[in-house]
Structure formats: C-alpha cells, structure tokens
C-alpha cells in the first residue's frame, strides 16, 4: 500500500478489510519512503508525535526546522502566518541558507543554553522524563532492581530515583514490568501511572547506594546530559560546526524555553537522513526540558494519523482483528537477503553484527520470521514499488522476479504494472467517490466523481469487493476450510 491509498479513506478501508478477512501480510511503506521519525519512537515509544496543523496557531515560538511548509504544505501554510499575526515568533532553520545549520550540534547547543540558564520545567522533568533516573558511575548503566537482588525480566526494567524526601533510592513509577510485548499472548498491558505520589526525585547530584555487591556511586541522567553538552556542545562549538553565531543560538534557545508553548515543526525531511534519529532525540530533549511535549502548541511536530475508530469497526466487523502489518525494513531483510545488501554497502563485519541481532530477535520471538513462509503472490495497491524502492533494480531482481504472481492495482501503466502478471485498472482521483484525510490537516477533502471511470476502471473499493467475492467463490468450490490465523491461533494456544 502507498500514500495515495492511505489518504483515500474508503479505498484504505477496503484494502484493510480484505487483508483482515484473508490474513495476508501488509508491508507498510511509511518507513519505506523514509517518512518515519525513528528518533521519536526511540525516545517516546510513539512513532508519530504531532497534532493537527491548527496547533501551529497555538504556539508562541515555532521553530520551522528542516521544512518548507510554504512550498510543501500550501493548504496549511496560512497557520504559520496567522500565528505570526497573533504574536508567535516563527524561526526558520533551513539548509537553504546554511547547509550545516541542520546539524544535531545546533539543537544540543540550545539544550546546553537551556540547562545553563536553568530555563527548565523542573516538576515536568521529575515526573514525565527519565532525566532523574539513577545511573551507576562505575559502569555507566542504569541502577536496576537486579542491583538489589531482584530477579526475572521485570527486574531488568526496574529503574530508580533518588528521593530527596527519604534520602533513599526508590523505584520509579511505571517501571519494572518487563519488555513490551513480553507477556502471554493476548494479555493486557499492566496498568501504571507516572504519578510520583509524594516522591521527590533528585535531578542533580551524586549519591552512594548499597547494592548486593557493595556500595556504588550513582548520578542522574540529567547530570550526565549536562556534562556532555558542557563538554562538547556549547554554542561556540556549535558555531564552528554550523556557522550559526553563538549569540543567535542562545537567543533562539531562550525564546523557545521562555515562550510557554515552544514547537519544533519538522516535516519529513530529517526522517530520511542516516543520523536523523539523533536530531529527533535532541529536539525531544529540548521539548522535555521545557515541558513542551504534550502541551498545546508545543512539542515536536512531524505528522499524525487520522482517528481510526470507525475505520477499525468496519475492518474488524464480524471477524475480529487479524490484519498483519509488517515493518518494511524487517520484511525486506527477510525477503531480499538484507544481509547480502549490508555486506555490499557496509562490509562483512557490520553485516554480521546486524544479522546476529536480527537472528536473536527472531529466536526470542521479538520479531516475526517472514522468511519461514515463502512469498509467492503480491497485490501492489496504491503505489509503484518497482519504481520508488531505494535499492532500485536490486529489489526487482531479488524480490519481484521471484514471485509467482504479481497483481498491480493502478490507474497508470506504471513500472510495477509492467512487472505484473495481472493489471487491475483503478479509477483516477476524480473518477470516484471517496474522501481524503491527512492526519494533521484539520479538514476533509471530498472526492466527487467529475467524470466516469475510463474503460473497465473501478475504484479500489469495488476492486477489493470483486477480489474478495472471487476468493470466497473459489474457496467454496474447493471446499477449503477456514485458515487458522497466526495471531489468534497463538493467543488460543497461550490461553490453553
């Protein structure tokens, strides 16, 4: 599936209904085109930090960082100019003026200024961040429940504060539950709250803690962060890297921190860079220190998805949730010999290391093993994957050429269609009734049929209906039993 399919909500619903009923795997293409803000997922556990575009109007200091909404978000750009009329300070940080201004060092120099000037939302970082978590100075690792004799996977994920009230280490709320997804299939996640309930975590300082192996010194993540930026990322050091004057770096950092609603509008460009994750994490650190993540008009803004409650009801109705969406990087690694590609690009040592982690994840059940079931047939819907894949002809040679059957659902004679065994002609944008909904755009665009579909073309909804009916008919003719779904079958086995 591709972007043009996802935005057309009727077409998107039909595809997912078919996938849910049939149990096929859908490799997502969000990360495939480099639009996924990986650093946000690393930091927050949420892949899409963002609000609607209207949130720009609520910001008081908006840093437009590596984005050009006046050109790429034409229907929404008015929010920036109206925000300016409303008193918002809009700052553009763009490689068009300085190719290195988008360097992570610039964001970390702003972090250094915020910390040095103590422009920090202290209560926010105590409760909502890991900045007060204790770190052992001897190993550089978090102080864990295992250091106090606890065992099991939960102990590995039990972290600690230093409580200023009791002068003792205390377990941080909402930690100590084991790795996400480590419970029994179908089991609900444990309920937890970040509320401190009388605990006052120390943010600064060094402390002595008695563990099962003796006394050790600990400090906080905040202290280590402060030491890092003071050592390597002062505004003067960032000026040498980026060309942005240190005075300007400090001025923007102070304006952002004091605004009360500081936003970093990012777009998708930084998501495509090799080290874009580091830049995202630096942005989120700026937002964390100033209490802007979760605040109206604040935080790091990339994109958001439309609400899926009605969509999900239709997709799962009468069947239950069975749809399988595969991370495209994992899918590609399994289907197109990712290890060989890594060896060619990065060398044997790096390829071996990555493959070792991949195999460990498969063996531990952290990732599904898509290579166990040969991929024989593909429906290419709403995208042109044979053309846009970053690996170019390699994807065609190592994946597409090995498939028994390719079905392309397309309005054009695309590159993918030319590789296909069957081409299902799909109606163009204004040859159908549908509506588009982009997650952060605060309005819906109705697609009204201006002209009838050309020739035998139908919209995606009708195509999926016809395919589903044909599959059902053939299944009845062959007297085929229902296929046990992988996810539900595992859940049943776990319950038994």
């Amino acid at each position: 599936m591709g972007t043009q399919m996802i935005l057309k909500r009727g077409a998107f619903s039909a595809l997912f209904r078919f996938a849910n009923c049939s149990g096929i795997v859908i490799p997502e293409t969000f990360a495939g085109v480099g639009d996924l803000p990986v650093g946000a997922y690393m930091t927050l556990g949420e892949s899409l930090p963002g609000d609607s575009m209207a949130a720009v109007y609520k910001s008081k200091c908006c840093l437009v960082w590596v984005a050009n909404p006046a050109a790429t978000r034409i229907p929404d750009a008015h929010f920036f100019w109206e925000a300016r009329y409303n008193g918002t300070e809009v700052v553009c940080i763009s490689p068009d003026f300085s190719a290195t201004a988008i360097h992570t060092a610039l964001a970390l120099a702003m972090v250094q200024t915020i910390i040095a000037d103590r422009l920090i939302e202290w209560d926010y970082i105590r409760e909502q961040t890991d900045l007060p978590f204790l770190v052992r100075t001897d190993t550089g690792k978090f102080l864990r429940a295992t250091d106090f004799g606890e065992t099991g996977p939960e102990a590995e994920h039990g972290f600690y504060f230093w409580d200023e009230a009791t002068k003792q280490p205390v377990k941080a709320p909402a930690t100590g539950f084991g790795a996400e997804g480590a419970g029994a299939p179908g089991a609900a996640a444990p309920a937890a709250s970040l509320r401190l309930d009388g605990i006052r975590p120390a943010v600064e300082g060094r402390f002595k803690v008695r563990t099962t192996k003796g006394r050790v010194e600990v400090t906080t993540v905040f202290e280590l962060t402060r030491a890092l930026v003071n050592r390597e990322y002062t505004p003067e050091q960032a000026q040498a890297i980026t060309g942005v004057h240190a005075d300007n770096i400090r001025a923007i950092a102070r304006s952002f921190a004091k605004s009360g609603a500081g936003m970093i509008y990012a777009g998708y460009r930084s998501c495509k860079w090799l080290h874009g994750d580091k830049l995202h994490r630096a942005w989120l650190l700026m937002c964390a220190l100033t209490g802007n993540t979760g605040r109206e008009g604040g935080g790091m803004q990339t994109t958001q998805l439309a609400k899926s409650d009605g969509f999900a009801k239709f997709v799962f109705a009468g069947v239950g949730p069975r749809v399988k969406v595969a991370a495209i990087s994992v899918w590609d690694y399994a289907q197109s010999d990712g290890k060989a590609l890594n060896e060619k690009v990065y060398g044997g040592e790096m390829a071996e290391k990555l493959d070792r982690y991949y195999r460990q994840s498969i063996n531990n059940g952290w990732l599904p093993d898509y290579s166990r079931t040969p991929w024989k047939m593909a429906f290419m819907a709403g995208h042109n994957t044979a053309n846009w894949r970053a690996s170019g002809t390699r994807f065609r040679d190592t994946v597409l050429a090995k498939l028994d059957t390719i079905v392309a659902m397309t309005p054009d004679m695309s590159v993918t269609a030319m590789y296909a065994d069957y081409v299902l002609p799909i109606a163009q944008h204004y040859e159908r009734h549908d509506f588009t909904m982009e997650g952060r755009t605060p309005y819906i665009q109705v697609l009204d049929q201006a002209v009838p579909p050309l020739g035998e073309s139908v919209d995606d909804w009708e195509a999926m209906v016809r395919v589903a009916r044909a599959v059902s008919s053939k299944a009845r003719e062959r007297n085929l039993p229902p296929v046990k779904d992988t996810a539900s079958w595992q859940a049943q086995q776990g319950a038994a």
Side-chain angles (χ1 to χ4, degrees):
M1 62 177 178
T3 303
Q4 61 175 300
M5 169 70 80
I6 294 170
L7 296 185
K8 295 182 179 74
R9 303 304 286 182
F12 188 43
S13 300
L15 172 66
F16 261 66
R17 175 69 177 173
F18 176 76
N20 193 59
C21 291
S22 62
I24 63 174
V25 178
I26 301 180
E28 55 80 30
T29 54
F30 199 96
V33 295
D35 283 348
L36 189 70
V38 178
Y41 189 77
M42 291 177 177
T43 306
L44 303 174
E46 294 287 340
S47 54
L48 299 177
D51 202 337
S52 78
M53 291 296 299
V56 173
Y57 185 78
K58 301 176 184 178
S59 69
K60 298 303 179 186
C61 178
C62 182
L63 309 185
V64 182
W65 212 319
V66 202
N68 187 12
T72 62
R73 302 297 309 174
I74 293 171
D76 306 312
H78 65 93
F79 286 114
F80 294 91
W81 323 137
E82 289 159 5
R84 286 191 66 201
Y85 297 147
N86 195 42
T88 300
E89 182 178 6
V90 178
V91 179
C92 182
I93 301 172
S94 171
D96 297 341
F97 297 95
S98 171
T100 53
I102 39 79
H103 199 286
T104 303
L106 181 63
L108 289 176
M110 293 187 190
V111 167
Q112 194 276 341
T113 299
I114 291 167
I115 292 176
D117 290 3
R118 303 185 72 79
L119 302 173
I120 298 169
E121 291 280 350
W122 296 100
D123 289 341
Y124 180 94
I125 66 171
R126 285 189 173 95
E127 181 185 80
Q128 296 290 322
T129 77
D130 63 358
L131 290 168
F133 280 21
L134 295 178
V135 180
R136 295 177 55 146
T137 59
D138 58 344
T139 64
K141 295 186 176 183
F142 284 118
L143 184 70
R144 288 175 162 86
T146 51
D147 291 311
F148 299 100
E150 294 187 28
T151 59
E154 294 80 7
E156 278 292 325
H157 297 272
F159 305 112
Y160 284 80
F161 295 143
W162 181 266
D163 184 15
E164 292 180 341
T166 62
K167 308 299 183 185
Q168 294 290 331
V170 296
K171 191 174 290 186
T175 70
F177 293 121
E180 183 178 355
S193 172
L194 296 177
R195 286 180 304 188
L196 297 176
D197 290 331
I199 302 172
R200 185 169 176 78
V203 178
E204 302 169 285
R206 291 176 177 258
F207 316 97
K208 294 288 186 178
V209 173
R210 187 177 300 279
T211 69
T212 54
K213 295 183 179 180
R215 291 174 66 82
V216 298
E217 184 185 63
V218 294
T219 188
T220 64
V221 173
F222 177 86
E223 286 284 20
L224 296 175
T225 302
R226 175 163 58 186
L228 171 67
V229 294
N230 283 344
R231 183 175 64 250
E232 299 181 23
Y233 296 105
T234 64
E236 284 72 23
Q237 288 169 307
Q239 178 179 343
I241 297 170
T242 67
V244 180
H245 198 281
D247 291 348
N248 292 336
I249 295 174
R250 288 191 173 93
I252 294 170
R254 288 163 181 161
S255 180
F256 180 84
K258 294 176 181 179
S259 68
M263 175 185 291
I264 298 174
Y265 178 87
Y268 297 113
R269 175 53 52 192
S270 62
C271 305
K272 301 176 186 343
W273 296 337
L274 179 61
H275 297 301
D277 59 318
K278 295 179 185 287
L279 181 57
H280 299 158
R281 292 163 73 177
W283 287 341
L284 287 165
L285 181 54
M286 288 175 60
C287 295
L289 288 166
T290 55
N292 276 302
T293 296
R295 175 180 286 164
E296 279 195 326
M300 172 182 164
Q301 303 286 330
T302 51
T303 190
Q304 192 49 267
L305 292 180
K307 281 190 174 181
S308 60
D309 44 1
F311 166 82
K313 287 178 182 178
F314 168 74
V315 170
F316 302 146
V319 183
R322 309 193 314 163
V323 68
K324 307 175 188 70
V325 179
I328 202 167
S329 56
V330 180
W331 178 265
D332 279 2
Y333 194 92
Q335 303 296 343
S336 62
D337 195 358
K339 182 180 179 182
L341 179 60
N342 285 338
E343 189 168 355
K344 179 180 178 181
V345 176
Y346 303 113
E349 183 179 353
M350 179 61 72
E352 275 299 331
K353 182 178 180 180
L354 293 173
D355 191 67
R356 186 168 65 251
Y357 287 131
Y358 171 75
R359 298 295 168 192
Q360 180 183 2
S361 299
I362 295 293
N363 294 336
N364 290 340
W366 300 337
L367 291 175
D369 186 0
Y370 295 117
S371 65
R372 292 180 60 184
T373 304
W375 187 17
K376 296 183 177 181
M377 182 178 183
F379 277 86
M380 303 298 188
H383 65 132
N384 186 12
T385 188
N387 185 58
W388 61 254
R389 297 303 293 271
S391 52
T393 57
R394 185 182 186 279
F395 179 78
R396 304 174 199 171
D397 297 338
T398 60
V399 178
L400 294 186
K402 295 180 180 179
L403 293 172
D404 294 342
T405 308
I406 299 174
V407 180
M409 297 173 55
T410 175
D412 308 298
M413 196 60 188
S414 62
V415 175
T416 304
M418 288 188 275
Y419 274 81
D421 300 284
Y422 301 93
V423 178
L424 304 184
I426 300 299
Q428 278 281 7
H429 205 66
Y430 292 110
E431 298 174 350
R432 62 169 73 206
H433 296 289
D434 207 325
F435 66 96
T436 62
M437 183 183 295
E438 204 273 353
R440 59 184 170 183
T441 300
Y443 51 80
I444 294 172
Q445 180 184 359
V446 175
L447 300 183
D448 200 9
Q449 191 181 77
V451 294
L454 190 65
E456 298 180 354
S457 299
V458 296
D459 61 27
D460 302 270
W461 178 286
E462 179 62 24
M464 290 280 81
V465 168
R466 293 184 187 182
V467 171
R469 284 175 177 164
V471 171
S472 297
S473 176
K474 290 296 182 182
R476 284 193 296 268
E477 287 178 15
R478 299 177 185 179
N479 199 29
L480 296 176
V483 177
K484 288 180 178 178
D485 175 76
T486 305
S488 61
W489 175 244
Q490 287 180 342
Q492 291 168 12
Q493 297 305 301

